Amino acid sequence: MSFSIQQENTQKEPNLQPTGWFRYFSFSLDHKVIGLQYLVCGFIFYLIGGSLASAIRIELVSPISDFMPREIYNQILTLHGTIMIFLWIVPVVNGAFGNYLIPFYVGARDMAFPRLNAVAFWLIPPAGLMLISSYFINGAAQSGWTAYPPLSITTPAAGQIVWIISVLLLGGSSIFGGINFIATILKLRRPGLKLMQLPMYCWAMLGTSILVVLSTPVLAGTLILLSFDIVAHTGFFNPALGGNVIVYQHLFWFYSHPAVYIMVLPAFGLVSEILPIHSRKPLFGYTTMVYSIMGIVVLGLIVWAHHMFTSGTPPWMRLFFTIATAFIAVPTGIKFFNWVATLWGGRISINSAILFSCGFIVNFVLGGITGVALAQVPFDVHVHDTYFVVAHFHYIVYGGSVFVIFSSIYHWYPKFTGKMLNEKLGKLHFIITFIGFNLCFAPQHWLGLNGMPRRVAEYDPQFALVNQISSIGALLMALSTLPFLFNVIYSAIKGEEAGDNPWQALTPEWLTSSPPPVENWVGEAPLVTKPYGYGEEEHKNDEPTNNELQSL
Amino acid sequence: MTIVSPLNEKSEQSISQQNNHEDHRLFGLIAFLVADGMTFAGFFAAYLTYKAVNPLLPDAIYELELPLPTLNTILLLVSSATFHRAGTALGKKKNSQCQIWLLVTAGLGIAFLASQMVEYFTLPFGLTDNLYASTFYALTGFHGLHVTLGTLMILIVWWQARSPGGRISSENKFPLEAAEVYWHFVDGIWVVLFIILYLL
Ligand code: HEM
Ligand SMILES: [Cu+2]
């Protein structure tokens, strides 16, 4: 909260905002700068987390633990999970695109609390650096991104405490972000813009932010108790003192199941923006999309214990959580069919953005189906803590959220920079990523069904061949980063000029220059009450420029 | 790092021209309190689960004394009322009355903290003795932290109301309103905590 008085100084100030690339390293309050800071910072952590993943897959090429000691394997596994979730996907699908797009979508010149916004971003780099540095100082945490006690209490304390502090900082960052998004969407809307006229991404972010505000604090409280157990030897989760590790699991998953929707709901929103533009059709079923987001929010909050079917949950609990979990397939299915219906019969341009979005749809369906399967207790008891679960959630978080992040970068890069990305490199990127991803994770279903446990550096030799296939897939995924990196850097310098609206889009961020001016619009913000009017009379003949059109 | 203020002022201004500034700040505060309340909800849920699943929880061994916490409840409830008086006084442009009520409220907050300290010193168990002790101190301590922050906030608001050309006036009531909402929240949490911890 700032306690400052409002200054009634309407005189135009000279614009002292640093211009050029340097402003991206400064403490700026401009939501667009903060959004790109989130994006670039998140991508750097993605590269780090990806290198760690490669190290894991190299270790697993052979059944014995030969590439690194087992403690190091556990540390790298823990860092990988923590970085990917808390420093890459969550900050990017929420912080980066939310900050960049939402003020445009509600017709505002900035977020509701610009200072809080900058604080939320600047919590991230120090938290990330601290987390990684713990690896070099005293050994990083070893207990996985879930930090289950008693392991997290009994392994060396220093790394675990650093882990807790950085997750607390990152949690604080996302709570501040969530508050800001809710206030911006509900309170800063341009007069005349109704809620049911907002672009879908706003709804997705509203739902996500509600989840953030309701569930992240519970994780924070839990981790504070855990740190007491480690530092002050209290007994919350220590069975020796009468504590209960199952209570930790309940509290942890009360946050971490919603967390999967914190990673994937914004991705739903982004896809809902991208598909209509590149298929020149209105988003199918706007109202049902809105209700299904809110349905997912409500159901997402009450299904956490499906992660605990093997923790001695009583039968009534298993029944309740199975049914509730299975119900999420309904709103999710609605969204899936709406996306397909949006594409159906559209004039689809086959470009990198839509390829990644379609890749998302395909992967997400598979991840969703294995999710419904996992919700069935007998099946879950069989595959719990095996590679089947690893495959399931990577289909969701990588095949879902990460594919959408790439799709969104291809889609909004012209707005960010004023330049187009190279389409050939983009398609190459997509093909290698898609093949690499499926080669890496599809075989893991088989590994899990046949009993290979997760989080191990050594395994039964019968799994060697399939693990090697999986590692080749991982290698391809690592390689796929190269054309992408080259593309974003090269195109920023040498790319062809994009113009203000290369996709002939109708959403408000395209109705200003690329890149947009400070305060988003020169003059009044446009009032866009029909963000998906494609194909209607007045827009019949809009043709995207720079775009290979192909009728389906 | 450069801290650039002209833009800040500018963008906050154009937002405030477009929208009601006070309104969305208070809205943000309430969203924050929902989050804060969820932390407590997590703690309460953990405590109640322990109580339900762990019959050996030695809470029967220590009959908690009720007089001090009851006094604390009264202190906080009264302080909610006095804070409200401060707000109405400011609304009627009686700035000096507002200051007095703020000081009384802060005094009640400090009295609460003092009495909690007394309670801590007379309790027969320490933080690490067992699960019950740990949960007891975690819950009351976390709430005590909130009371401390709230009291500091009240003192800051009082300071702002005191300084001439005041940052706080009947036109600019936001800091006072924010502190008041926060204080009522802390009081409400205490009532729930009192019931769960001492009466159940
Ligand atoms: C929406 C995006 C989703 C994400 C990001 C996600 C992510 C995850 C993650 C990370 C785990 C592993 C937990 C662990 O460490 O043990 C997991 C497990 C699980 N998921 Fe998902 N999931 C998603 C969707 C779903 C859906 C749609 C369902 C069911 C309809 C589902 C059902 C389950 C179940 C039952 C488990 C427990 C498996 C076990 O631990 O034995 N998930 N999910
Ligand atoms: Cu879950």
Side-chain angles (χ1 to χ4, degrees), chain A residues 230-418:
Chain A
I230 296 171
V231 178
H233 305 290
T234 49
F236 300 107
F237 309 122
N238 186 350
L241 293 175
N244 191 331
V245 292
I246 306 296
V247 170
Y248 177 89
Q249 296 187 9
H250 275 296
L251 293 173
F252 178 83
W253 286 111
F254 183 79
Y255 164 74
S256 288
H257 182 79
V260 309
Y261 294 103
I262 294 169
M263 292 182 261
V264 84
L265 273 184
F268 288 0
L270 293 167
V271 166
S272 306
E273 300 305 330
I274 293 168
L275 292 182
I277 292 175
H278 296 285
S279 57
R280 316 305 306 163
K281 277 185 62 196
L283 182 68
F284 187 89
Y286 180 94
T287 331
T288 54
M289 289 290 231
V290 172
Y291 289 133
S292 59
I293 286 173
M294 292 307 154
I296 290 175
V297 168
V298 173
L299 287 169
L301 280 168
I302 58 166
V303 299
W304 73 90
H306 61 215
H307 298 272
M308 300 168 58
F309 285 148
T310 56
S311 308
T313 37
W316 68 265
M317 234 190 218
R318 292 174 159 200
L319 187 63
F320 172 80
F321 284 102
T322 293
I323 295 175
T325 305
F327 259 108
I328 296 190
V330 177
T332 316
I334 291 176
K335 299 193 75 77
F336 167 75
F337 286 115
N338 281 345
W339 290 320
V340 175
T342 303
L343 288 172
W344 197 269
R347 287 182 299 146
I348 301 175
S349 6
I350 307 291
N351 54 25
S352 315
I354 206 155
L355 282 175
F356 270 102
S357 278
C358 291
F360 153 83
I361 296 179
V362 172
N363 299 331
F364 189 78
V365 166
L366 230 158
I369 291 173
T370 52
V372 178
L374 283 171
Q376 315 309 314
V377 179
F379 183 73
D380 182 71
V381 169
H382 178 63
V383 298
H384 178 75
D385 265 344
T386 67
Y387 261 82
F388 191 88
V389 174
V390 178
H392 154 71
F393 74 75
H394 281 93
Y395 264 84
I396 302 286
V397 291
Y398 197 104
S401 307
V402 180
F403 269 62
V404 173
I405 291 173
F406 284 131
S407 176
S408 308
I409 292 175
Y410 284 102
H411 181 72
W412 276 289
Y413 188 87
K415 185 47 60 180
F416 297 159
T417 61

